[in-house]
Amino acid sequence: MTESPATKPADGDVCQRVKNGLNLEKNGVLKSLHRCHEQQPKHHCQPEEEEVHAASHHDSQYNRPFLESFEETPMLVAVLTYMGYGILTIFGYLRDFLRHWKIERCHIAREKEEQRDFVPLYQDFENFYTRNLYMRIRDNWNRPICSVPGAKVDLMERTSRDYNWTFEYTGRVVLDVINLGSYNYLGFAENTGPCADSAAEITMKYGVGVASTRQEIGNLDRHEELEKLVAKFLGVESAMVFGMGFATNSMNIPALTGKGCLILSDELNHASLVLGARLSGSTIRVFKHNNMQSLEKLLRDAIVHGQPRTHRPWKKILIVVEGIYSMEGSIVRLPEVIDLKKRYRAYLYLDEAHSIGALGSRGRGVVDYFGLDPCDVDVLMGTFTKSFGAAGGYIAGKWELIEYLRSHSHSAVYATSMSPPVVEQIITSMKCIMGEDGTTIGCDRVRKLAENTVYFRRRLREMGFIIYGNEDSPVVPMMLYMPAKIGAFGREMLKRNIGVVVVGFPATPIIESRARFCISAAHTKEMLDRALSVISEVGDLLQLKYSRRRIQPSLSLPCDDIVFEDIDD
Amino acid sequence: MNVGTAHSEVNPNTRVMNSRGMWLSYILGIGLLHVILLSIPFASVPVVWTLTNLIHNLCMYLLLHTVKGTPFETPDQGKARLLTHWEQMDYGVQFTASRKFLTITPIVLVHICSAITRPVLVFEEESSPKRSSRGIRDIWGGTRTRRNVAKERQDGCVCFGFAGSSMSFMTAALPGTAAR
């Protein structure tokens, strides 16, 4: 499946050799790495593209090539996209005019006639987008499913007679839709198997819910076992689990920082991190997405100038980044961030919501992916929703930190603790990934996910689509750009029995609407091939193959091969 | 699409004018408007340019300086509801590239408009007896005899449109008043 030559050893070994090679002769091998990174783009890249890869003096920190690309929007496509939004806006105003003069029936919520003189309850203009754009293509979201959302899912068929304002169910079920939308990275979203059995057993023993907080009578022995297991999984001293992933971020960042502290957060951080940062009352400064120069500049300014008016030194500087950014598919430059953190004595909060279980040779997340020491990251946070088929989040780190959070975190004091079947699901799936249940299922799944990701991304690139993000990230955003294509893509894929997630403005920048595929270890090669052929067919139909650069299949090899040759010299 | 997605960009409207291809689309939009107006059979070129100028200024005034708020819900608890698009741009930072571009375009447009329709400005001396019989040069290089003057005054009134110039000055001057 991967295009590795027969002589190439497994991933781990190559990385080791590369690392040793770098230690032996820094300048020579660095130059060749640098050269190899530059040679590859020159062969098949257009100048206006933004190919971002590990260059300059930071090469030594990466034990494998860091290939991310965010190809620029073609100008014609951008102009046509604006034209599309312009036409939609004009028609939106026209329809609003017709609705106002009662020529057309109005479906949206309106105030009662008697309350006309009151302060308005609904702001008409704020609903403009929802009424006139979202409603037209609303059938692409919130589709009801009636089976477990694994690699394949069953959907309830629905139709609408009034252009998506109301839906009716025909009663038929669309069976076996290939599911490219669920965050099911390791395929644990299943209702049979050891995880489901043990969860069912525990429900019989402990009940469905705990109905209390951790600090009162909601602390079960299963919670303690789970926390020990999570700490062992991540390679840190101690961990704490919470019932809700969003709440883990928003309730714990206020416990860690407060007034007089500085939070440096990435541009594209999730809303839970932003909410947590705002609730804490610290000063927030935003650095450009994954841009280490921007982060360093902010750090230096913060340390040199101190707090805004008093110029006192900051009590704490906390850098908040995510492992994988799900909208862009990019991976954080962790070695460089840790280097900066150590140099400027800041703290690091790493949110591994999408990367835990999905990256790394052993599935231990982005820290494992880069081969770094988990003790370098001060606060490791993650969720169990994506790779473990459960719900909830964890925070892991030093023993003192976690003990502090046990008494000071809002979640620990006021929120209900995780319910027992969910705890059991996580324990079983985590043991499976670690290999402690005696089988190699976990290991196989981690490897399968990596292979599926590389294969899928390579094939999509070869077909000519614009794909964002890192080569190793299982989140694959494919650009659609125009608003009409968002709806068309979702519907055409469903007609051909493939379920995808499409996202548009305002969740993404105005011209960058995309379809986001999430690769799973549960996808077999046949499923991926079928999905790819369908995507290619729909791509030809809708003219989605915007990419200006064409990759020859032979040149799509990762850099490892070229580096291998240099070391042999 | 906004529901359930998580973003740290509070108001996406602030970034719209900076996105790729927006300026080009704006210029092309003006061009399209001009071409559509040119197809009106009884309008002469100067009149069409005037109309382009006026309609462009009117549309920009309505879109940028009249309509308040955002067409979607934002997580900033309504701070943007009282702001026009011009005020929302770049979160209120003045003199960014987009603001300068949008200030300069109506001024350039009105100058082009004036150039096409031969304005009444002259730089030459009128009192010299030698010149007065032959006609007066205006800054655009043509000569103005008594015959042309009457015709130009007609066109000039329409074009050098008090309305047109005042619109452009209004849109250009508003940044100062709208600073927050």
Side-chain angles (χ1 to χ4, degrees):
Chain A
M1 189 178 304
T2 51
E3 55 289 355
S4 48
T7 51
K8 182 179 153 203
D11 237 9
D13 291 349
V14 169
C15 294
Q16 271 303 314
R17 289 194 61 167
V18 172
K19 232 187 181 157
N20 290 336
L22 286 167
N23 285 337
L24 283 175
E25 210 200 79
K26 266 202 159 65
N27 280 339
V29 182
L30 270 178
K31 264 198 213 129
S32 59
L33 263 182
H34 192 71
R35 225 184 301 131
C36 101
H37 287 154
E38 294 207 348
Q39 267 170 15
Q40 218 196 16
K42 277 199 178 92
H43 284 155
H44 51 76
C45 278
Q46 300 290 330
E48 62 246 17
E49 214 179 281
E50 256 183 70
E51 174 97 16
V52 178
H53 43 259
S56 80
H57 62 284
H58 293 295
D59 263 343
S60 54
Q61 295 158 325
Y62 291 88
N63 60 358
R64 66 173 76 196
F66 188 85
L67 297 163
E68 259 185 12
S69 76
F70 300 95
E71 194 176 326
E72 266 212 320
T73 315
M75 194 52 103
L76 175 65
V77 173
V79 172
L80 288 175
T81 311
Y82 292 125
M83 200 174 91
Y85 277 110
I87 292 174
L88 280 168
T89 313
I90 293 173
F91 273 91
Y93 276 117
L94 175 70
R95 297 288 285 272
D96 278 349
F97 176 75
L98 292 178
R99 281 188 205 115
H100 180 72
W101 288 99
K102 308 275 191 295
I103 301 173
E104 188 187 332
R105 195 154 63 109
C106 185
H107 296 272
I108 57 168
R110 289 237 170 237
E111 290 187 22
K112 292 197 218 165
E113 235 2 80
E114 307 81 82
Q115 292 174 325
R116 212 171 1 128
D117 293 327
F118 289 18
V119 174
L121 198 57
Y122 305 108
Q123 251 265 354
D124 270 342
F125 192 54
E126 268 187 351
N127 271 332
F128 183 87
Y129 190 81
T130 312
R131 284 199 295 275
N132 297 311
L133 274 80
Y134 178 68
M135 281 299 174
R136 287 172 185 265
I137 46 176
R138 193 162 76 117
D139 55 317
N140 289 312
W141 292 283
N142 303 322
R143 291 177 180 149
I145 63 175
C146 43
S147 78
V148 68
K152 291 202 173 170
V153 68
D154 299 335
L155 296 180
M156 296 197 58
E157 199 183 349
R158 53 184 187 169
T159 55
S160 174
R161 274 195 283 231
D162 50 359
Y163 301 104
N164 291 346
W165 286 96
T166 55
F167 286 110
E168 284 151 11
Y169 296 101
T170 59
R172 281 192 295 267
V173 174
V174 184
L175 292 166
D176 285 341
V177 173
I178 296 182
N179 186 5
L180 288 175
S182 291
Y183 299 133
N184 183 17
Y185 299 133
L186 291 177
F188 280 110
E190 47 197 10
N191 52 3
T192 52
C195 299
D197 293 337
S198 60
E201 204 184 298
I202 285 289
T203 316
M204 287 302 168
K205 192 171 163 207
Y206 284 88
V208 178
V210 187
S212 182
T213 68
R214 286 297 291 275
Q215 284 195 351
E216 291 172 16
I217 54 168
N219 194 19
L220 304 173
D221 55 344
R222 302 309 284 162
H223 288 135
E224 309 253 322
E225 187 179 326
L226 174 60
E227 287 175 357
K228 285 202 196 71
L229 189 63
V230 169
K232 189 167 157 212
F233 182 75
L234 295 168
V236 286
E237 284 176 27
S238 172
M240 186 173 173
V241 299
F242 303 93
M244 195 176 146
F246 189 104
T248 310
N249 274 331
S250 55
M251 300 292 128
N252 285 308
I253 298 183
L256 296 172
T257 58
K259 252 183 112 158
C261 302
L262 175 66
I263 293 184
L264 297 173
S265 91
D266 190 290
E267 216 177 4
L268 300 177
N269 268 344
H270 191 263
S272 56
L273 292 164
V274 174
L275 181 61
R278 285 196 197 142
L279 282 173
S280 68
S282 328
T283 312
I284 307 172
R285 297 210 178 134
V286 173
F287 62 93
K288 298 230 177 318
H289 177 57
N290 235 357
N291 188 335
M292 295 301 120
Q293 286 78 24
S294 173
L295 176 59
E296 183 165 6
K297 181 170 183 305
L298 280 181
L299 273 167
R300 287 176 83 96
D301 284 343
I303 294 176
V304 164
H305 296 293
Q307 296 189 29
R309 273 171 306 126
T310 56
H311 294 290
R312 285 199 202 132
W314 295 100
K315 286 193 199 149
K316 232 181 280 188
I317 300 182
L318 185 67
I319 305 173
V320 178
V321 287
E322 288 189 37
I324 292 185
Y325 292 90
S326 65
M327 267 309 154
E328 304 279 309
S330 53
I331 299 182
V332 67
R333 293 171 181 278
L334 198 58
E336 292 179 52
V337 174
I338 290 187
D339 182 51
L340 279 174
K341 165 198 109 93
K342 284 186 181 156
R343 228 189 303 161
Y344 294 102
R345 309 248 193 103
Y347 294 105
L348 180 59
Y349 184 104
L350 178 65
D351 178 347
E352 289 202 82
H354 286 269
S355 52
I356 188 76
L359 283 183
S361 53
R362 295 178 307 157
R364 311 286 165 109
V366 70
V367 174
D368 183 34
Y369 174 75
F370 286 114
L372 299 167
D373 183 12
C375 297
D376 280 339
V377 181
D378 300 295
V379 188
L380 281 157
M381 180 264 167
T383 59
F384 299 114
T385 327
K386 282 89 185 181
S387 300
F388 299 95
Y394 66 85
I395 291 213
K398 296 245 173 338
W399 184 83
E400 292 89 5
L401 170 73
I402 303 299
E403 289 304 302
Y404 175 81
L405 279 180
R406 278 190 215 282
S407 47
H408 287 84
S409 157
H410 189 282
S411 270
V413 180
Y414 296 111
T416 326
S417 46
M418 210 185 248
S419 73
V422 177
V423 173
E424 199 55 34
Q425 160 80 17
I426 303 169
I427 291 179
T428 324
S429 57
M430 207 175 258
K431 282 195 176 146
C432 183
I433 298 174
M434 284 162 74
E436 280 183 13
D437 59 343
T439 64
T440 55
I441 295 179
C443 201
D444 291 337
R445 286 187 184 192
V446 171
R447 208 186 50 239
K448 186 100 200 311
L449 175 66
E451 286 172 2
N452 280 355
T453 306
V454 169
Y455 177 65
F456 196 77
R457 274 178 173 270
R458 183 177 60 85
R459 284 287 305 275
L460 277 180
R461 259 188 221 282
E462 277 169 21
M463 285 180 198
F465 294 102
I466 296 187
I467 309 288
Y468 273 15
N470 198 304
E471 293 294 322
D472 289 316
S473 114
V475 180
V476 186
M478 186 180 96
M479 304 312 286
L480 300 172
Y481 296 118
M482 295 174 205
K485 294 192 185 180
I486 304 173
F489 189 75
R491 287 174 192 155
E492 291 294 319
M493 292 301 280
L494 188 59
K495 264 191 226 164
R496 293 164 174 79
N497 249 20
I498 307 222
V500 294
V501 172
V502 289
V503 203
F505 184 68
T508 60
I510 185 164
I511 38 172
E512 291 168 18
S513 347
R514 57 199 73 177
R516 191 180 60 180
F517 304 115
C518 292
I519 308 301
S520 162
H523 287 134
T524 61
K525 187 156 186 300
E526 290 76 33
M527 281 189 224
L528 286 185
D529 282 334
R530 166 125 208 289
L532 284 163
S533 67
V534 166
I535 292 172
S536 184
E537 189 192 326
V538 174
D540 283 327
L541 176 68
L542 296 176
Q543 295 192 351
L544 291 171
K545 298 187 178 175
Y546 299 117
S547 183
R548 300 257 187 81
R549 54 174 185 164
R550 285 279 171 268
I551 301 188
Q552 311 302 323
S554 57
L555 276 179
S556 64
L557 223 49
C559 261
D560 292 339
D561 226 50
I562 306 174
V563 174
F564 209 59
E565 282 163 18
D566 281 330
I567 291 176
D568 280 341
D569 288 344
Chain B
M1 284 182 263
N2 210 6
V3 181
T5 54
H7 215 266
S8 64
E9 177 69 75
V10 171
N11 187 359
N13 248 356
T14 54
R15 298 264 173 257
V16 163
M17 285 294 167
N18 297 332
S19 353
R20 183 169 158 82
M22 182 52 119
W23 294 7
L24 177 65
S25 306
Y26 175 53
I27 302 289
L28 288 177
I30 300 175
L32 185 68
L33 171 67
H34 185 64
V35 164
I36 291 175
L37 288 173
L38 272 175
S39 50
I40 302 174
F42 48 81
S44 65
V45 174
V47 168
V48 167
W49 270 104
T50 312
L51 277 175
T52 309
N53 193 18
L54 288 177
I55 294 177
H56 160 263
N57 288 343
L58 188 69
C59 288
M60 278 294 124
Y61 181 71
L62 285 176
L63 285 174
L64 290 180
H65 301 291
T66 312
V67 170
K68 292 201 173 102
T70 54
F72 34 78
E73 283 178 25
T74 48
D76 64 349
Q77 296 178 346
K79 285 193 193 109
R81 273 187 215 141
L82 300 170
L83 303 178
T84 62
H85 193 267
W86 181 262
E87 288 159 6
Q88 284 172 33
M89 251 166 68
D90 293 320
Y91 290 108
V93 173
Q94 296 297 314
F95 307 117
T96 59
S98 300
R99 285 185 194 246
K100 287 188 230 178
F101 175 73
L102 287 171
T103 311
I104 289 170
T105 329
I107 298 174
V108 166
L109 197 58
V110 81
H111 277 297
I112 296 176
C113 203
S114 318
I116 305 283
T117 56
R118 311 291 202 121
V120 242
L121 284 176
V122 281
F123 287 157
E124 303 286 337
E125 283 281 323
E126 286 194 31
S127 54
S128 153
K130 238 203 294 190
R131 291 267 176 108
S132 58
S133 54
R134 280 186 213 151
I136 301 161
R137 275 189 187 281
D138 64 23
I139 56 172
W140 305 110
T143 47
R144 297 175 60 236
T145 59
R146 289 230 183 95
R147 243 179 317 141
N148 307 359
V149 167
K151 190 161 169 296
E152 278 174 25
R153 208 164 279 149
Q154 227 177 11
D155 286 340
C157 284
V158 173
C159 131
F160 199 78
F162 183 64
S165 64
S166 70
M167 279 286 197
S168 67
F169 284 135
M170 255 207 297
T171 48
L174 265 169
T177 55
R180 218 172 261 233

